[in-house]
């Protein structure tokens, strides 16, 4: 038995959807363990495109069980809309293949509004959130005033929980000159949908423990990327949860000994959505070309992604922090037309060379990348399925990346199609 955690090693959008879909075919269970519907995975299967936000990628595969863990924050209306959308494409979603943790925290309408209010009034200090209410929901979780899935079972309990959370939020809303939320109206809206949510609700930690005893293969599916981790990312330009591999344990209640292999999804270049430091960002025609060829627009927000050269220093740091065992290198074919390709191997900060990404945001914004240059291959790598068939310059670049980051490249993606993958090492078979 092998249990695999998949995380993004950059700022998200590394192409996790395709890799997770490929792995989910081999897994028995697929689990989301953090984040919310601010993260999107795009899957293309038999010509049909599925855009998932909260549902685990295993939901599109027959005979797989999908789990939303306690570490996820759930907008119940968004989840029900997503279930409706995915069912309209012929996908089965019922209590036999979807389980939601009874301990998962809910995103409510005032969380979304607070997210929008903060971004709109932040000026130069805006974070660049997806405005989905993720941050405010996690704040209420830590503040011990949030509504959890289990709270929908009892009208009396829900009334008390809503009274507690609205005492906090309405005080802030009054101070900002915003209309307060009516408890009874919100309670009525929640009770109306509660049967549709509660039917999926179970103690996930207990379910996963049983699956482990049965020797099931479990795939833990991360959202966003390590560089957006609230502790280890480019703070404060981060998400509100821990995106590193170890949060798969806390986000599901299964313990760190349940993790056997960590796969880091890594783009052959770098992208970022929203605000924040980006040392290798290209604001020229090369950056524009990467964006066009890579179709760099967000799955959830459709925002244009910022593009830049591969940052080996950042990826190497992510590997160490998240305990990554192997790398799935994606979007190699996007680089096919370039005369020259660069990889950041060091930074310069205040005239000194450093080989790590500093924690202070003022330093992150000042550092200058130091590059190693590679000749491009100027020929198509699209749909190549054997590393021997790649152009020599492409192989040279791949081996240089592998050598610098200090972790083996276990697969290489050469197009969005799931079969266009060069498989070197299967995480489930090691």
């Amino acid at each position: 038995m092998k249990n695999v955690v998949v995380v993004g090693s950059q700022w998200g959008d590394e192409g996790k959807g395709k890799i997770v879909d490929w792995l989910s075919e081999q897994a028995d269970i697929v689990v989301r363990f953090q984040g919310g519907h601010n993260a999107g995975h795009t899957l293309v299967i038999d010509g049909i495109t599925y855009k998932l936000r909260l549902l685990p990628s295993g939901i599109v595969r027959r005979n797989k069980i999908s789990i939303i863990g306690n570490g996820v924050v759930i907008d119940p209306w968004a989840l029900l809309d997503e279930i409706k959308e995915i069912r309209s494409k012929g996908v089965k979603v019922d209590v036999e293949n979807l389980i939601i943790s009874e301990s998962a925290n809910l995103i409510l309408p005032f969380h979304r509004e607070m997210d929008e209010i903060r971004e709109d009034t932040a000026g130069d200090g805006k974070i660049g959130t997806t405005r989905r209410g993720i941050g405010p929901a996690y704040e209420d979780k830590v503040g011990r005033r949030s509504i959890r899935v289990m709270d929908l079972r009892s009208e009396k309990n829900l009334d008390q929980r809503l009274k507690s959370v609205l005492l906090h939020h309405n005080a802030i809303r009054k101070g900002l000159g915003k209309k307060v939320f009516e408890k009874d109206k919100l309670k009525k809206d929640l009770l109306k949908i509660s049967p549709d949510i509660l039917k999926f609700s179970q103690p996930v930690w207990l379910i996963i423990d049983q699956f482990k005893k049965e020797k099931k293969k479990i795939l833990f599916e991360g959202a966003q990327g390590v560089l957006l981790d609230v502790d280890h990312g480019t703070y404060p330009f981060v998400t509100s949860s821990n995106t590193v591999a170890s949060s798969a344990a806390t986000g599901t209640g299964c313990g760190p000994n349940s993790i056997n292999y960590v796969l880091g999804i890594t783009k052959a270049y770098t992208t970022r959505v929203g605000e924040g430091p980006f040392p290798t960002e290209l604001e020229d025609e090369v950056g524009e070309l990467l964006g066009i060829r890579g179709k760099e627009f967000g799955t959830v927000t459709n925002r244009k992604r910022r593009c830049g050269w591969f940052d080996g220093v950042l990826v190497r740091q992510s590997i160490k922090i998240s305990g990554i065992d192997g790398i799935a290198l994606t979007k190699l074919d996007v680089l096919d037309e370039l005369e020259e390709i660069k990889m950041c191997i060091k930074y310069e900060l205040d005239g000194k060379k450093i080989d790590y990404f500093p924690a202070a945001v003022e330093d992150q914004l000042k550092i200058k990348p130091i590059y190693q240059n590679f000749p491009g291959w100027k020929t198509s790598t699209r749909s190549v399925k054997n590393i021997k068939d790649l152009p020599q310059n492409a192989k040279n670049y791949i081996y240089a990346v592998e050598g610098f980051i200090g972790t083996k490249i276990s697969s290489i993606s050469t197009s969005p199609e799931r079969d266009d993958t060069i498989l070197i090492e299967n995480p489930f078979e090691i």
Side-chain angles (χ1 to χ4, degrees), residues 265-291:
I265 315 301
T266 307
K267 247 179 205 165
Y269 50 102
T270 310
T271 62
R272 176 164 201 170
V273 171
E275 309 301 317
F278 187 168
T280 64
E281 183 173 10
L282 295 170
E283 298 181 273
D284 57 12
E285 66 277 4
V286 176
E288 192 69 21
L289 177 66
L290 292 174

Side-chain angles (χ1 to χ4, degrees), residues 3-62:
N3 297 329
V4 177
V5 179
V6 174
V7 293
S9 70
Q10 295 156 308
W11 280 293
D13 309 309
E14 300 95 349
K16 291 186 290 296
K18 170 185 170 176
I19 306 299
V20 168
D21 172 54
W22 171 70
L23 288 170
S24 68
E25 192 171 48
Q26 304 171 62
D28 301 302
I29 321 294
V30 184
V31 189
R32 272 285 307 271
F33 58 86
Q34 49 77 219
H37 64 312
N38 55 336
H41 289 173
T42 301
L43 313 179
V44 181
I45 303 169
D46 297 329
I48 302 174
T49 299
Y50 303 95
K51 293 190 175 183
L52 304 176
R53 294 165 287 278
L54 271 168
L55 292 171
S57 297
I59 202 71
V60 300
R61 295 280 166 201
R62 290 181 180 179

Side-chain angles (χ1 to χ4, degrees), residues 322-334:
S322 208
I324 292 172
D325 298 299
I327 288 291
L329 190 68
T330 64
K331 294 201 170 185
L332 180 72
D333 57 303
V334 174

